[in-house]
Amino acid sequence: MTPAATRRKPISPARACAYKVLRRVFEQGAYADRALAAEARELDHRDRALATALAYGAVQRRATLDHIAQQLLSRPLARLEAPVLAALRVGLFQLLFLGGVSDYAAVDESVELIKRERPGAAGLVNAVLRRGAREGPAILDSLNDADPANAAILHSVPQWLADRWWQELGADTARELLRRINDPAESALRVNTLVATVADVAAVLPVGSEPAPGIPEGLVITDGFDAQGSEAWREGAIMPQSRGSMLVAHALAPVAGERVLDLCAAPGGKTTQIAALTADEGEVVAVERHSGRARALEQTCARMRATSVRVDVGDAAVPCDRGQFARVLVDPPCSGLGTLQSRPDIRWRATPEAIDQLAGIQQQILAAGAAATAPGGSLVYSVCTISRAEGELVARRFADEHPEFAPVDLSQVMPEWAHAATGRHLQLLPSRDRTDGFFIARFSKASGGRVNL
C-alpha cells in the first residue's frame, strides 16, 4: 500500500455515489435517474436514500449553489475544473439544504472526494466550503423572488423558464410554482382493479396511505416505499403513478367493449389503466416507436394482467391503417416541465428551441390520432408540462385545423383542475394540485358533417 493510500480517509458510499451522479449528469449529459440507478446498485436502502437526496438535490439546486459558490470564490466559477465544481456542489448542498448532516462531515468528505480526482484542488474546496458553512446561510437568506431574474437564482431554474412562467401564469402563480418545484415529489400508486381492490392494497401496504382525491383507484403514500420491490408489484396489483398521470385516462373515459388507441404508450401506466377502466373488455392498441420499450410495455401489460392490450411497434406521428377507434389517447413526447420535482435534470435540458420543435411533433401525432378517431369518438391530448406552446396553443391550432372536432368542456366534470386561461381544458400545477403538472384537452368528433366552433 502506498503512503498516499494510507492517508486516505473513508468516504461514505452515499456521498461517493452522489458525486459520481453529478459528474455524469453535467459532464456526460446522463439522465439523473439512470445515472443514479447505475451508481447506486450496490448501496443498501439507507445509503441509497441519502445518495438520492444528495444527487437529486444538488442537480435541482445547481443555479443557487453556483451563485453562492461564486460569492465565496476569488476567481470566475467558469474557470473551475468540472470535478472541483461537482465537489463544491455536493458540499454546499449539504451545508445549505440538507438537514441532519454535520458541517464537518459535509466539508471533510467533499475534500476527500476531490483529493482522489484533483489533489491540488483540495485546499480550494476546503476553503470555499468552510466559508460556505459560515457565510452561505446569510447569502441564501439574502436571495428573493421579486422578479424573474432573482427567482431563477433562488429557486434554481434557467432564467428563460422563470421569464416564461411569469409571462404565461402571472407573477403570483409563477412564484408559487417555483417555490414548489424543489420539494419532494408526490408519492402515489394506482391500484390495478383487474387484480385487487383499493381497500385490499391499502390493508397490506407496509406504509401509510391515503385515498387520492378525485382518483378512485389512487393511493397517496405518506412514507417512503419501494414499490417495485414489493409483493403487490410482483402480483401486478400496483403501478407507481402520479395523480396527474392517472387523471388522463379518466378524461378519456373509456367504456368496456370499445376499441381504444394509445399513441406513444410506453412505459404503460396509462395503457394498463385504460384496460382496467374497461374491465379488460374490448381492445387497446398501444403504439410505441422503440422496439425495446415496446417489449418492456408488453411485459408490463402481462404483469398487470391487461390481456386486452395489443402492442404495435410503429411511429405515432405516421398515420397507419389500424381501423377506427372510439377513443384515442395522444400522450406525445414533451418538455416534461410539469415533472421537475421527480426529474431533477429536466430543467437544465429543456430549451425554448426544443419546446418549439416538440410542439411541431405534438401537432403531427395529434393529427395522426385524429385520423384514427371514429365519427362520434373522443380524442384526448395530454402532456406532462406547463408550457403554453405545448398545451393551449397546440390544442387551439388543432381545433382550427380540424373543424370536425369540437373541444369538450372538461371543467364541467373536473372543475378543480380547470385551465385558468381556457376554462374548458385542464392544467394541473404542482403548486396548487400537489401532483405533476399536466395539460389535458379532449375533443369530440362529429358523427357526420362538420362542427362549427
Side-chain angles (χ1 to χ4, degrees):
M1 184 176 292
T2 65
T6 62
R7 292 194 297 271
R8 282 186 174 179
K9 297 180 181 178
I11 299 174
S12 75
R15 289 187 176 90
C17 174
Y19 175 73
K20 291 175 183 177
V21 170
L22 254 68
R23 296 202 58 190
R24 290 182 62 170
V25 169
F26 292 123
E27 296 174 46
Q28 302 171 21
Y31 289 94
D33 57 346
R34 298 178 189 176
L36 180 67
E39 297 294 343
R41 281 193 301 263
E42 304 301 322
L43 299 186
D44 61 26
H45 177 73
R46 183 175 178 179
D47 281 335
R48 181 186 291 268
L50 178 56
T52 302
L54 279 173
Y56 279 22
V59 171
Q60 282 180 323
R61 297 284 187 176
R62 186 189 80 174
T64 312
L65 298 172
D66 287 0
H67 173 82
I68 293 173
Q70 186 60 81
Q71 309 308 303
L72 303 171
L73 279 162
S74 59
R75 68 183 73 173
L77 200 69
R79 290 176 53 189
L80 296 182
E81 291 183 281
V84 178
L85 188 53
L88 289 177
R89 287 169 173 163
V90 170
L92 285 172
F93 179 76
Q94 294 173 78
L95 292 171
L96 300 175
F97 294 104
L98 194 65
V101 174
S102 72
D103 290 357
Y104 173 81
V107 174
D108 193 56
E109 294 205 18
S110 297
V111 172
E112 287 300 316
L113 284 168
I114 199 59
K115 277 184 179 178
R116 301 181 188 194
E117 296 282 341
R118 299 290 190 274
L124 181 147
V125 170
N126 183 58
V128 171
L129 292 183
R130 287 184 180 278
R131 282 193 66 191
R134 297 191 305 270
E135 303 170 30
I139 298 174
L140 183 61
D141 288 344
S142 71
L143 301 178
N144 66 75
D145 54 10
D147 53 57
N150 282 292
I153 295 172
L154 175 60
H155 302 299
S156 191
V157 296
Q159 186 170 339
W160 70 264
L161 180 56
D163 288 336
R164 179 167 293 204
W165 280 351
W166 231 260
Q167 178 183 5
E168 294 182 359
L169 302 173
D172 291 341
T173 301
R175 285 191 192 94
E176 291 173 3
L177 179 57
L178 288 166
R179 290 168 186 173
R180 175 67 179 171
I181 60 171
N182 294 311
D183 291 342
E186 170 191 60
S187 180
L189 299 174
R190 176 174 60 82
V191 175
N192 181 15
T193 53
L194 297 176
V195 173
T197 68
V198 174
D200 288 340
V201 170
V204 300
L205 286 177
V207 294
S209 65
E210 300 173 351
I215 309 292
E217 68 272 47
L219 288 172
V220 176
I221 304 303
T222 56
D223 302 294
F225 176 52
D226 178 14
Q228 297 187 15
S230 68
E231 184 65 25
W233 165 271
R234 289 187 288 273
E235 293 178 351
I238 59 172
M239 170 70 77
Q241 197 171 343
S242 74
R243 288 183 296 118
S245 175
M246 287 186 246
L247 189 66
V248 174
H250 284 280
L252 185 66
V255 176
E258 291 180 332
R259 295 191 78 219
V260 180
L261 177 64
D262 182 4
L263 294 175
C264 309
K270 300 179 186 70
T271 307
T272 53
Q273 185 180 7
I274 291 169
L277 289 174
T278 58
D280 209 29
E281 297 175 6
E283 182 185 24
V284 181
V285 177
V287 179
E288 173 52 47
R289 179 177 182 177
H290 300 284
S291 59
R293 285 167 60 85
R295 286 193 297 271
L297 175 57
E298 288 177 332
Q299 294 170 358
T300 295
C301 292
R303 181 179 64 83
M304 303 290 283
R305 306 184 200 180
T307 61
S308 61
V309 177
R310 173 170 65 84
V311 178
D312 186 354
V313 179
D315 188 343
V318 179
C320 181
D321 186 10
R322 301 181 179 93
Q324 296 283 286
F325 296 83
R327 315 272 170 169
V328 176
L329 172 60
V330 174
D331 187 53
C334 71
S335 62
L337 294 174
T339 65
L340 299 187
Q341 291 174 266
S342 58
R343 302 167 69 189
D345 50 314
I346 286 290
R347 70 189 71 191
W348 310 122
R349 296 181 182 279
T351 64
E353 295 77 19
I355 287 174
D356 291 340
Q357 292 174 357
L358 285 165
I361 295 170
Q362 291 153 3
Q363 289 284 359
Q364 293 175 20
I365 299 175
L366 192 50
T373 306
S378 295
L379 172 65
V380 165
Y381 171 70
S382 72
V383 279
C384 57
T385 192
I386 305 165
S387 163
R388 189 166 179 259
E390 298 173 89
E392 177 187 345
L393 296 186
V394 167
R396 180 187 301 175
R397 179 178 170 185
F398 174 79
D400 289 343
E401 295 179 355
H402 296 81
E404 72 275 22
F405 282 86
V408 175
D409 189 353
L410 288 174
S411 70
Q412 295 299 308
V413 290
M414 301 173 176
E416 63 269 42
W417 292 299
H419 193 295
T422 71
R424 59 194 172 196
H425 305 315
L426 307 182
Q427 178 66 70
L428 281 70
L429 298 174
S431 50
R432 182 192 66 190
D433 304 307
R434 297 300 188 262
T435 188
D436 287 342
F438 265 86
F439 174 88
I440 306 171
R442 179 175 168 177
F443 302 89
S444 179
K445 188 172 185 178
S447 297
R450 298 171 74 86
V451 176
N452 294 318
L453 302 180

